[in-house]
Coordinates of all heavy atoms in Angstrom, one line a residue:
M44 N 87.7 103.0 101.2 CA 88.7 103.6 100.4 C 89.3 102.7 99.4 O 89.6 101.5 99.8 CB 89.8 104.2 101.3 CG 90.7 105.1 100.6 SD 91.7 106.0 101.8 CE 93.1 106.4 100.8
Y45 N 89.4 103.1 98.2 CA 90.0 102.2 97.2 C 91.5 102.0 97.5 O 92.1 102.9 98.1 CB 89.9 102.9 95.8 CG 88.5 103.0 95.3 CD1 87.9 104.3 95.1 CD2 87.8 101.9 94.9 CE1 86.7 104.4 94.6 CE2 86.5 102.0 94.4 CZ 85.9 103.3 94.2 OH 84.7 103.4 93.7
E46 N 92.0 100.9 97.0 CA 93.4 100.6 97.1 C 94.2 101.5 96.1 O 95.3 101.9 96.3 CB 93.7 99.2 97.0 CG 93.5 98.4 98.2 CD 94.1 97.0 98.1 OE1 95.1 96.8 97.4 OE2 93.5 96.1 98.7
A47 N 93.5 101.6 94.9 CA 94.1 102.4 93.9 C 93.1 103.2 93.2 O 91.9 102.9 93.2 CB 94.9 101.5 92.9
C48 N 93.4 104.3 92.6 CA 92.5 105.2 91.8 C 91.9 104.4 90.6 O 92.7 103.8 89.9 CB 93.2 106.4 91.3 SG 92.2 107.5 90.4
P49 N 90.6 104.4 90.5 CA 90.0 103.6 89.4 C 90.3 104.3 88.0 O 90.3 103.6 87.0 CB 88.5 103.7 89.7 CG 88.3 104.6 90.8 CD 89.6 104.9 91.4
D50 N 90.7 105.5 88.0 CA 91.0 106.2 86.7 C 92.4 106.1 86.3 O 92.7 105.7 85.2 CB 90.6 107.7 86.8 CG 89.1 108.0 86.9 OD1 88.4 107.1 86.4 OD2 88.7 109.0 87.5
C51 N 93.4 106.4 87.2 CA 94.8 106.5 86.8 C 95.6 105.4 87.5 O 96.8 105.2 87.1 CB 95.3 107.8 87.1 SG 95.4 108.2 88.9
G52 N 95.1 104.6 88.4 CA 95.8 103.5 89.0 C 96.8 104.0 90.2 O 97.5 103.2 90.6
Q53 N 96.7 105.3 90.5 CA 97.6 105.7 91.6 C 97.3 104.9 92.9 O 96.1 104.9 93.3 CB 97.3 107.2 91.9 CG 97.9 107.8 93.2 CD 99.4 107.9 93.1 OE1 99.9 108.4 92.1 NE2 100.1 107.5 94.1
H54 N 98.3 104.4 93.5 CA 98.2 103.6 94.7 C 98.0 104.6 95.9 O 98.7 105.5 96.0 CB 99.4 102.7 94.9 CG 99.2 101.7 96.0 ND1 98.3 100.7 96.0 CD2 99.9 101.5 97.2 CE1 98.3 100.0 97.1 NE2 99.3 100.5 97.8
Y55 N 97.0 104.3 96.7 CA 96.6 105.3 97.8 C 97.3 105.0 99.1 O 97.2 105.9 100.0 CB 95.1 105.2 98.0 CG 94.3 105.9 97.0 CD1 93.1 105.4 96.6 CD2 94.8 107.1 96.3 CE1 92.3 106.0 95.6 CE2 94.0 107.7 95.4 CZ 92.8 107.2 95.0 OH 92.1 107.8 94.1
E56 N 98.0 103.9 99.3 CA 98.7 103.7 100.6 C 100.2 103.5 100.3 O 100.6 102.3 100.0 CB 98.1 102.6 101.4 CG 98.7 102.5 102.8 CD 97.8 101.7 103.7 OE1 96.8 101.2 103.3 OE2 98.1 101.7 104.9
P57 N 101.0 104.5 100.3 CA 102.4 104.4 99.9 C 103.2 103.4 100.8 O 104.1 102.7 100.3 CB 103.0 105.8 100.1 CG 101.8 106.7 100.1 CD 100.7 105.9 100.6
E58 N 102.8 103.3 102.1 CA 103.5 102.3 103.0 C 102.5 102.0 104.1 O 101.5 102.7 104.3 CB 104.8 102.9 103.6 CG 104.6 104.1 104.4 CD 105.9 104.8 104.8 OE1 106.8 104.9 104.0 OE2 106.0 105.2 105.9
V59 N 102.8 100.9 104.8 CA 101.9 100.4 105.9 C 101.9 101.5 107.0 O 103.0 102.0 107.4 CB 102.4 99.1 106.4 CG1 101.6 98.6 107.6 CG2 102.4 98.0 105.3
G60 N 100.8 101.8 107.5 CA 100.6 102.8 108.5 C 100.8 104.2 108.1 O 101.0 105.1 108.9
F61 N 100.8 104.4 106.8 CA 101.0 105.8 106.3 C 100.0 106.8 106.8 O 100.4 107.9 107.1 CB 100.9 105.7 104.7 CG 101.0 107.1 104.1 CD1 102.2 107.7 104.0 CD2 99.9 107.8 103.6 CE1 102.4 108.9 103.4 CE2 100.0 109.0 103.0 CZ 101.2 109.6 102.9
Y62 N 98.8 106.4 107.1 CA 97.8 107.4 107.5 C 97.7 107.6 109.0 O 96.9 108.4 109.4 CB 96.4 106.9 107.0 CG 96.3 107.1 105.5 CD1 96.3 105.9 104.6 CD2 96.3 108.3 104.9 CE1 96.3 106.1 103.3 CE2 96.2 108.4 103.5 CZ 96.2 107.3 102.7 OH 96.2 107.4 101.4
W63 N 98.7 107.1 109.7 CA 98.8 107.5 111.1 C 99.0 109.0 111.2 O 98.5 109.6 112.1 CB 99.9 106.7 111.8 CG 99.4 105.3 112.3 CD1 99.3 104.2 111.5 CD2 99.1 104.9 113.6 NE1 98.9 103.2 112.2 CE2 98.7 103.5 113.5 CE3 99.0 105.6 114.8 CZ2 98.3 102.8 114.6 CZ3 98.6 104.8 115.9 CH2 98.3 103.5 115.8
G64 N 99.8 109.5 110.3 CA 100.1 110.9 110.3 C 98.9 111.8 110.1 O 98.9 112.9 110.4
A65 N 97.9 111.2 109.4 CA 96.7 112.0 109.1 C 96.0 112.3 110.4 O 95.2 113.3 110.4 CB 95.8 111.2 108.2
M66 N 96.2 111.6 111.5 CA 95.6 112.0 112.8 C 96.1 113.4 113.2 O 95.3 114.1 113.8 CB 96.0 111.0 113.9 CG 95.4 109.7 113.8 SD 95.6 108.6 115.2 CE 97.4 108.7 115.4
Y67 N 97.3 113.7 112.9 CA 97.8 115.0 113.3 C 97.2 116.1 112.5 O 96.9 117.2 112.9 CB 99.3 115.1 113.3 CG 99.9 114.1 114.2 CD1 100.5 112.9 113.8 CD2 100.0 114.3 115.6 CE1 101.0 111.9 114.6 CE2 100.5 113.4 116.5 CZ 101.0 112.2 116.0 OH 101.5 111.3 116.8
V68 N 97.0 115.8 111.2 CA 96.4 116.7 110.3 C 94.9 116.9 110.7 O 94.4 118.1 110.8 CB 96.4 116.2 108.8 CG1 95.7 117.2 107.9 CG2 97.8 116.0 108.4
S69 N 94.2 115.9 111.1 CA 92.9 115.9 111.5 C 92.8 116.7 112.8 O 91.8 117.5 113.0 CB 92.3 114.5 111.7 OG 91.0 114.6 112.2
Y70 N 93.8 116.5 113.7 CA 93.8 117.3 114.9 C 93.9 118.8 114.7 O 93.2 119.6 115.3 CB 95.0 116.8 115.8 CG 95.2 117.6 117.0 CD1 94.3 117.5 118.1 CD2 96.2 118.5 117.1 CE1 94.5 118.3 119.3 CE2 96.5 119.3 118.2 CZ 95.6 119.2 119.3 OH 95.8 119.9 120.4
G71 N 94.8 119.1 113.7 CA 94.9 120.5 113.3 C 93.6 121.1 112.8 O 93.2 122.2 113.2
F72 N 92.9 120.3 111.9 CA 91.6 120.8 111.4 C 90.6 121.0 112.6 O 89.9 122.0 112.6 CB 91.0 119.8 110.5 CG 91.7 119.8 109.1 CD1 91.6 118.7 108.3 CD2 92.4 120.9 108.7 CE1 92.2 118.7 107.0 CE2 93.0 120.9 107.4 CZ 92.9 119.8 106.6
S73 N 90.6 120.0 113.5 CA 89.7 120.1 114.7 C 89.9 121.3 115.5 O 89.0 122.0 115.9 CB 89.8 118.9 115.5 OG 89.4 117.7 114.8
V74 N 91.2 121.6 115.8 CA 91.5 122.8 116.5 C 91.1 124.1 115.8 O 90.5 125.0 116.4 CB 93.1 122.9 116.8 CG1 93.5 124.2 117.4 CG2 93.5 121.8 117.8
G75 N 91.2 124.1 114.5 CA 90.7 125.2 113.7 C 89.2 125.4 113.8 O 88.7 126.5 114.0
I76 N 88.5 124.3 113.8 CA 87.0 124.4 113.9 C 86.7 124.8 115.3 O 85.8 125.7 115.5 CB 86.4 123.0 113.6 CG1 86.6 122.7 112.2 CG2 85.0 122.9 114.1 CD1 86.2 121.3 111.8
V77 N 87.3 124.3 116.3 CA 87.0 124.7 117.7 C 87.2 126.3 117.9 O 86.4 127.0 118.4 CB 87.9 124.0 118.7 CG1 87.9 124.6 120.1 CG2 87.5 122.5 118.8
V78 N 88.4 126.8 117.4 CA 88.6 128.2 117.5 C 87.6 129.0 116.7 O 87.1 130.0 117.2 CB 90.1 128.5 117.0 CG1 90.3 130.0 116.9 CG2 91.1 127.9 118.0
L79 N 87.3 128.6 115.5 CA 86.4 129.3 114.6 C 85.0 129.3 115.2 O 84.4 130.4 115.3 CB 86.3 128.6 113.2 CG 85.3 129.3 112.3 CD1 85.8 130.7 111.9 CD2 85.1 128.4 111.0
V80 N 84.5 128.2 115.7 CA 83.2 128.1 116.3 C 83.1 128.9 117.6 O 82.2 129.7 117.9 CB 82.7 126.7 116.5 CG1 81.5 126.6 117.4 CG2 82.5 126.0 115.2
G81 N 84.2 128.8 118.4 CA 84.3 129.6 119.6 C 84.2 131.1 119.4 O 83.5 131.8 120.0
V82 N 85.0 131.6 118.4 CA 85.0 133.0 118.1 C 83.7 133.4 117.5 O 83.1 134.5 117.9 CB 86.2 133.3 117.1 CG1 86.0 134.7 116.5 CG2 87.5 133.1 117.8
L83 N 83.1 132.6 116.7 CA 81.7 133.0 116.1 C 80.7 133.0 117.2 O 79.9 134.0 117.2 CB 81.3 131.9 115.1 CG 82.0 132.0 113.7 CD1 81.6 130.9 112.8 CD2 81.7 133.4 113.1
L84 N 80.7 132.1 118.2 CA 79.8 132.1 119.3 C 80.0 133.4 120.1 O 79.0 134.0 120.6 CB 79.9 130.9 120.1 CG 79.2 129.6 119.7 CD1 79.6 128.5 120.6 CD2 77.7 129.8 119.7
Y85 N 81.2 133.7 120.4 CA 81.5 134.9 121.2 C 80.9 136.1 120.6 O 80.3 136.9 121.3 CB 83.1 135.0 121.4 CG 83.4 136.2 122.2 CD1 83.4 136.0 123.6 CD2 83.8 137.4 121.7 CE1 83.8 137.1 124.5 CE2 84.1 138.4 122.5 CZ 84.1 138.3 123.9 OH 84.5 139.3 124.7
Y86 N 81.1 136.3 119.3 CA 80.6 137.5 118.7 C 79.2 137.5 118.3 O 78.5 138.5 118.4 CB 81.5 137.9 117.5 CG 82.9 138.4 117.9 CD1 84.0 137.6 117.7 CD2 83.0 139.6 118.5 CE1 85.2 138.1 118.1 CE2 84.2 140.1 118.9 CZ 85.3 139.3 118.7 OH 86.6 139.8 119.1
L87 N 78.7 136.3 117.8 CA 77.3 136.3 117.3 C 76.3 136.0 118.4 O 75.2 136.5 118.3 CB 77.2 135.2 116.2 CG 78.0 135.5 114.9 CD1 77.8 134.3 113.9 CD2 77.7 136.8 114.3
A88 N 76.7 135.2 119.4 CA 75.8 134.9 120.5 C 76.1 135.8 121.8 O 75.6 135.5 122.9 CB 75.9 133.5 120.9
H89 N 77.1 136.7 121.7 CA 77.4 137.6 122.7 C 77.9 136.9 124.0 O 77.3 137.1 125.1 CB 76.2 138.6 123.0 CG 75.7 139.3 121.8 ND1 76.5 140.3 121.2 CD2 74.6 139.1 121.1 CE1 75.8 140.7 120.1 NE2 74.7 140.0 120.0
D90 N 78.9 136.1 123.8 CA 79.6 135.4 124.9 C 78.6 134.6 125.8 O 78.3 134.9 126.9 CB 80.4 136.4 125.8 CG 81.4 135.7 126.7 OD1 81.7 134.5 126.4 OD2 81.9 136.3 127.6
P91 N 78.1 133.5 125.2 CA 77.1 132.7 126.0 C 77.8 131.9 127.1 O 79.0 131.9 127.2 CB 76.6 131.7 124.9 CG 77.7 131.6 124.0 CD 78.4 132.9 123.9
P92 N 77.0 131.2 128.0 CA 77.6 130.4 129.0 C 78.5 129.3 128.5 O 78.4 128.9 127.3 CB 76.4 129.8 129.7 CG 75.2 130.5 129.3 CD 75.5 131.2 128.0
V93 N 79.4 128.8 129.4 CA 80.4 127.8 128.9 C 79.8 126.6 128.3 O 80.3 126.0 127.3 CB 81.3 127.4 130.1 CG1 82.2 126.3 129.8 CG2 82.1 128.7 130.5
W94 N 78.6 126.1 128.9 CA 78.0 124.9 128.4 C 77.6 125.0 126.9 O 77.6 124.1 126.2 CB 76.9 124.4 129.3 CG 75.6 125.3 129.2 CD1 75.3 126.3 130.0 CD2 74.6 125.2 128.3 NE1 74.1 126.9 129.7 CE2 73.6 126.2 128.6 CE3 74.3 124.3 127.2 CZ2 72.5 126.4 127.8 CZ3 73.1 124.6 126.5 CH2 72.2 125.6 126.8
V95 N 77.2 126.2 126.5 CA 76.9 126.5 125.1 C 78.1 126.3 124.2 O 78.1 125.7 123.2 CB 76.2 127.9 124.9 CG1 76.0 128.2 123.5 CG2 74.9 128.0 125.7
Y96 N 79.2 126.9 124.7 CA 80.5 126.7 123.9 C 80.8 125.2 123.8 O 81.1 124.7 122.7 CB 81.7 127.4 124.6 CG 81.7 128.9 124.5 CD1 81.4 129.7 125.6 CD2 82.2 129.4 123.3 CE1 81.5 131.1 125.4 CE2 82.3 130.8 123.2 CZ 82.0 131.6 124.2 OH 82.1 133.0 124.1
V97 N 80.8 124.5 124.9 CA 81.2 123.1 124.9 C 80.3 122.3 124.0 O 80.8 121.5 123.1 CB 81.3 122.5 126.3 CG1 81.5 121.0 126.3 CG2 82.3 123.2 127.1
S98 N 79.0 122.4 124.1 CA 78.1 121.6 123.4 C 78.1 122.0 121.9 O 78.1 121.1 121.0 CB 76.7 121.7 123.9 OG 76.2 123.0 123.9
T99 N 78.2 123.2 121.6 CA 78.2 123.6 120.2 C 79.5 123.2 119.5 O 79.5 122.7 118.3 CB 78.1 125.2 120.0 OG1 76.9 125.6 120.8 CG2 77.9 125.6 118.6
V100 N 80.6 123.4 120.1 CA 81.9 123.0 119.5 C 81.9 121.5 119.4 O 82.4 121.0 118.3 CB 83.1 123.5 120.4 CG1 84.3 122.8 120.1 CG2 83.2 125.0 120.3
A101 N 81.5 120.7 120.4 CA 81.5 119.3 120.3 C 80.6 118.8 119.1 O 80.9 117.9 118.4 CB 81.0 118.6 121.6
A102 N 79.4 119.4 119.0 CA 78.5 119.0 117.9 C 79.1 119.4 116.6 O 79.0 118.6 115.6 CB 77.1 119.8 118.1
A103 N 79.7 120.5 116.5 CA 80.3 120.9 115.2 C 81.4 119.9 114.8 O 81.5 119.5 113.6 CB 80.9 122.3 115.3
V104 N 82.3 119.6 115.7 CA 83.4 118.7 115.4 C 82.9 117.3 115.1 O 83.3 116.6 114.1 CB 84.4 118.6 116.6 CG1 85.4 117.5 116.4 CG2 85.1 119.9 116.7
L105 N 81.8 116.8 115.8 CA 81.3 115.5 115.6 C 80.6 115.4 114.2 O 80.7 114.5 113.5 CB 80.3 115.1 116.7 CG 80.9 114.6 118.0 CD1 79.8 114.3 119.0 CD2 81.7 113.4 117.7
L106 N 79.9 116.5 113.9 CA 79.2 116.5 112.6 C 80.2 116.6 111.4 O 79.9 116.0 110.3 CB 78.2 117.7 112.5 CG 77.0 117.6 113.3 CD1 76.2 118.9 113.3 CD2 76.1 116.4 112.8
L107 N 81.3 117.2 111.6 CA 82.3 117.4 110.5 C 83.3 116.3 110.5 O 84.2 116.3 109.6 CB 83.0 118.7 110.7 CG 82.1 119.9 110.4 CD1 82.8 121.2 110.7 CD2 81.6 119.9 109.0
T108 N 83.2 115.3 111.4 CA 84.2 114.2 111.5 C 84.4 113.5 110.2 O 85.5 113.2 109.7 CB 83.9 113.3 112.6 OG1 84.1 114.0 113.9 CG2 84.8 112.1 112.7
P109 N 83.3 113.1 109.5 CA 83.5 112.4 108.2 C 84.3 113.2 107.2 O 85.1 112.6 106.5 CB 82.0 112.1 107.7 CG 81.2 112.2 108.9 CD 81.9 113.2 109.9
L110 N 84.0 114.5 107.1 CA 84.8 115.4 106.2 C 86.2 115.5 106.7 O 87.2 115.4 105.9 CB 84.2 116.8 106.2 CG 82.9 116.9 105.3 CD1 82.5 118.4 105.4 CD2 83.2 116.6 103.9
L111 N 86.4 115.7 108.0 CA 87.8 115.8 108.5 C 88.6 114.6 108.2 O 89.8 114.7 107.8 CB 87.8 116.0 110.0 CG 87.2 117.3 110.5 CD1 87.2 117.4 112.0 CD2 87.9 118.5 109.9
F112 N 88.0 113.4 108.4 CA 88.7 112.1 108.1 C 89.2 112.1 106.7 O 90.4 111.8 106.5 CB 87.7 111.0 108.4 CG 88.2 109.6 108.2 CD1 89.1 109.0 109.1 CD2 87.9 108.9 107.0 CE1 89.6 107.8 108.8 CE2 88.4 107.7 106.8 CZ 89.2 107.1 107.7
R113 N 88.3 112.4 105.8 CA 88.7 112.3 104.4 C 89.7 113.4 104.0 O 90.7 113.1 103.3 CB 87.5 112.4 103.5 CG 86.7 111.1 103.5 CD 85.3 111.2 102.9 NE 84.6 109.9 102.9 CZ 84.0 109.4 103.9 NH1 84.0 110.0 105.0 NH2 83.4 108.2 103.8
Y114 N 89.5 114.6 104.4 CA 90.4 115.7 104.0 C 91.7 115.5 104.7 O 92.8 115.9 104.1 CB 89.8 117.0 104.3 CG 88.8 117.5 103.2 CD1 87.4 117.5 103.5 CD2 89.3 117.8 102.0 CE1 86.5 117.8 102.5 CE2 88.4 118.2 101.0 CZ 87.0 118.2 101.2 OH 86.1 118.5 100.2
A115 N 91.8 115.0 105.9 CA 93.1 114.8 106.5 C 93.9 113.7 105.8 O 95.1 113.9 105.6 CB 92.9 114.3 108.0
R116 N 93.2 112.7 105.3 CA 93.9 111.7 104.5 C 94.4 112.3 103.2 O 95.5 112.0 102.7 CB 93.0 110.5 104.3 CG 92.9 109.6 105.5 CD 92.0 108.4 105.2 NE 92.2 107.4 106.2 CZ 92.5 106.2 105.9 NH1 92.5 105.7 104.7 NH2 92.8 105.3 106.9
A117 N 93.5 113.1 102.5 CA 93.9 113.7 101.3 C 95.1 114.6 101.4 O 96.1 114.6 100.7 CB 92.7 114.4 100.7
V118 N 95.1 115.4 102.5 CA 96.2 116.3 102.8 C 97.5 115.5 103.0 O 98.6 115.9 102.5 CB 95.9 117.3 103.9 CG1 97.1 118.0 104.4 CG2 94.8 118.3 103.5
M119 N 97.4 114.5 103.8 CA 98.5 113.6 104.1 C 99.1 113.0 102.8 O 100.3 113.0 102.6 CB 98.1 112.5 105.1 CG 99.1 111.7 105.6 SD 100.1 112.5 106.8 CE 101.5 111.4 107.0
L120 N 98.2 112.6 102.0 CA 98.6 112.0 100.7 C 99.3 113.0 99.8 O 100.4 112.7 99.2 CB 97.4 111.3 100.0 CG 97.7 110.3 98.9 CD1 98.6 109.2 99.5 CD2 96.4 109.8 98.4
Y121 N 98.8 114.2 99.7 CA 99.4 115.2 98.9 C 100.7 115.7 99.4 O 101.6 115.9 98.6 CB 98.4 116.3 98.7 CG 97.5 116.1 97.5 CD1 96.3 115.5 97.7 CD2 97.8 116.6 96.2 CE1 95.4 115.3 96.6 CE2 97.0 116.4 95.2 CZ 95.8 115.7 95.4 OH 95.0 115.5 94.3
F122 N 100.8 115.9 100.7 CA 102.0 116.5 101.3 C 103.1 115.5 101.5 O 104.3 115.8 101.4 CB 101.7 117.2 102.6 CG 101.1 118.6 102.3 CD1 99.8 118.8 102.6 CD2 101.9 119.6 101.8 CE1 99.3 120.1 102.4 CE2 101.4 120.9 101.6 CZ 100.1 121.1 101.9
F123 N 102.8 114.3 101.8 CA 103.8 113.3 102.2 C 103.8 112.0 101.4 O 104.7 111.2 101.6 CB 103.7 112.9 103.7 CG 103.8 114.1 104.6 CD1 102.6 114.6 105.2 CD2 104.9 114.8 104.8 CE1 102.7 115.7 106.1 CE2 105.0 115.9 105.6 CZ 103.9 116.4 106.2
G124 N 102.9 111.8 100.5 CA 102.7 110.6 99.8 C 103.3 110.7 98.4 O 103.2 109.7 97.6
G125 N 103.8 111.9 98.0 CA 104.3 112.0 96.6 C 103.3 112.0 95.5 O 103.5 111.7 94.4
V126 N 102.0 112.3 95.9 CA 100.9 112.4 94.9 C 100.8 113.8 94.4 O 100.8 114.7 95.2 CB 99.6 111.9 95.5 CG1 98.5 112.1 94.6 CG2 99.7 110.4 95.9
H127 N 100.7 113.9 93.1 CA 100.5 115.3 92.5 C 99.4 115.2 91.5 O 99.3 114.3 90.7 CB 101.8 115.8 91.8 CG 102.9 115.8 92.8 ND1 103.1 116.7 93.7 CD2 104.0 115.0 92.9 CE1 104.2 116.5 94.4 NE2 104.8 115.5 93.9
Y128 N 98.5 116.2 91.6 CA 97.4 116.3 90.7 C 97.8 116.7 89.3 O 98.5 117.7 89.1 CB 96.4 117.3 91.3 CG 95.2 117.5 90.4 CD1 94.3 116.5 90.2 CD2 94.9 118.7 89.7 CE1 93.2 116.6 89.4 CE2 93.8 118.9 88.9 CZ 93.0 117.8 88.7 OH 91.9 118.0 87.9
K129 N 97.4 115.9 88.3 CA 97.6 116.2 86.9 C 96.3 116.4 86.3 O 95.6 115.5 86.0 CB 98.4 115.1 86.3 CG 99.8 114.9 86.8 CD 100.4 113.7 86.1 CE 101.7 113.3 86.9 NZ 102.0 111.9 86.7
P130 N 95.9 117.7 86.0 CA 94.6 117.9 85.3 C 94.6 117.2 84.0 O 95.6 117.2 83.2 CB 94.6 119.4 85.2 CG 95.9 119.9 85.4 CD 96.7 118.9 86.1
P131 N 93.4 116.7 83.6 CA 93.3 116.0 82.3 C 93.4 117.0 81.2 O 93.0 118.2 81.3 CB 91.9 115.4 82.3 CG 91.2 116.2 83.4 CD 92.2 116.6 84.4
R132 N 93.9 116.6 80.0 CA 94.1 117.5 78.9 C 93.0 117.4 77.9 O 92.4 116.3 77.7 CB 95.4 117.2 78.2 CG 96.6 117.5 79.1 CD 97.9 117.2 78.3 NE 98.9 117.5 79.3 CZ 100.2 117.8 78.9 NH1 100.5 117.9 77.6 NH2 101.1 118.0 79.8
Ligands
ZN613 ZN1 93.5 109.1 89.7

């Protein structure tokens, strides 16, 4: 991750340890994925055995971890870091 935006110079870490809070955002995303995949399996696979739920949910969360990591940090930065998007004119 860059220390600052190469385009506008926005500093990406407002304070030391700022992204610890992103763990909670990531946790929220993970819970959403678990619920979504579980509901989809229930309806699309007609309530499969428990091991199918566990393995599918674990695989989905593991595969999406790189995205979750980045989006959790972005959400943390936007909501608590004082960063606001300014579209180019
Ligand atoms: Zn920028």
Side-chain angles (χ1 to χ4, degrees):
M44 186 169 161
Y45 294 113
E46 280 191 31
C48 177
D50 289 332
C51 64
Q53 168 71 46
H54 191 61
Y55 285 144
E56 190 161 5
E58 61 189 41
V59 175
F61 176 75
Y62 290 108
W63 278 76
M66 287 190 308
Y67 299 103
V68 177
S69 181
Y70 174 74
F72 286 159
S73 298
V74 168
I76 290 170
V77 167
V78 170
L79 178 69
V80 170
V82 168
L83 285 176
L84 277 175
Y85 182 82
Y86 287 108
L87 297 180
H89 306 291
D90 198 14
V93 171
W94 70 267
V95 174
Y96 281 108
V97 172
S98 58
T99 306
V100 163
V104 170
L105 282 176
L106 287 174
L107 291 173
T108 293
L110 281 179
L111 293 179
F112 178 78
R113 285 168 174 80
Y114 279 107
R116 282 178 163 234
V118 166
M119 186 72 190
L120 197 57
Y121 271 88
F122 280 108
F123 303 107
V126 173
H127 301 288
Y128 177 66
K129 293 177 196 155
R132 296 181 180 204

